[in-house]
Amino acid sequence: MSPTIEVDEQTYRSIEFAARMGNSTAGEVVARLVRSASVPPSASKEGAEKERRVGVYVDYEGHRTRGNYDRDTKRIDITSGPLAGQSFKTPTGAARAVVAYYKPDVNPNRNGWSFWLLDDGSGGLLQTIRHSE
């Protein structure tokens, strides 16, 4: 059995709302809040930002598109190619934009978690770090 914590009703509703908005669980929301509050004061803001951002890429229709995945917000910011500078709320939204740009005649529905690859040399799917945050 997992340990539990008690919170008032309003706080619980707020956590549940944040979980729904972030397409995650209440536990993941609390874990992110604890992580963000646990950064030692001596850690630089820039260092913390780099730690939560993960480079990703995809090769689609002969074009490589690179981006940064934010572990906290789940956003992907495109950093290369014709979509550079655009930001998407989810990996799936970013995947759909890439497909729609390069192949507008096909249905762009894609699972972003299995579309994007980690740009760390492993070539692993973004999905592999989805729940390790």
Side-chain angles (χ1 to χ4, degrees), residues 52-59 64-71 74-80 86 88 90-92 94-95 98 112-130 133:
R52 77 169 208 261
R53 297 182 67 78
V54 176
V56 294
Y57 74 95
V58 66
D59 292 324
R64 178 163 286 194
T65 302
R66 293 182 186 276
N68 288 311
Y69 167 71
D70 187 301
R71 290 175 182 266
K74 310 294 189 234
R75 294 185 78 85
I76 288 192
D77 300 320
I78 305 295
T79 60
S80 73
Q86 293 189 39
F88 298 89
T90 64
T92 295
V98 169
W113 298 104
S114 59
F115 186 81
W116 294 98
L117 303 172
L118 299 174
D119 199 4
D120 62 0
S122 72
L125 298 175
L126 181 56
Q127 175 70 37
T128 62
I129 66 167
R130 183 178 188 180
E133 300 160 359

Side-chain angles (χ1 to χ4, degrees), residues 6-98:
E6 289 186 35
V7 296
D8 61 79
E9 187 65 31
Q10 180 58 43
T11 301
Y12 182 75
R13 283 196 298 257
S14 296
I15 292 169
E16 283 292 309
F17 177 75
R20 282 194 308 276
M21 295 305 294
N23 197 24
S24 63
T25 67
E28 290 168 337
V29 170
V30 172
R32 279 195 305 271
L33 289 170
V34 169
R35 263 197 322 275
S36 68
S38 300
V39 174
S42 62
S44 72
K45 184 177 180 181
E46 181 180 309
E49 171 128 349
K50 283 183 182 177
E51 196 172 293
R52 77 169 208 261
R53 297 182 67 78
V54 176
V56 294
Y57 74 95
V58 66
D59 292 324
Y60 187 76
E61 289 299 305
H63 302 275
R64 178 163 286 194
T65 302
R66 293 182 186 276
N68 288 311
Y69 167 71
D70 187 301
R71 290 175 182 266
D72 292 337
T73 65
K74 310 294 189 234
R75 294 185 78 85
I76 288 192
D77 300 320
I78 305 295
T79 60
S80 73
L83 300 174
Q86 293 189 39
S87 182
F88 298 89
K89 290 181 182 180
T90 64
T92 295
R96 289 176 178 167
V98 169

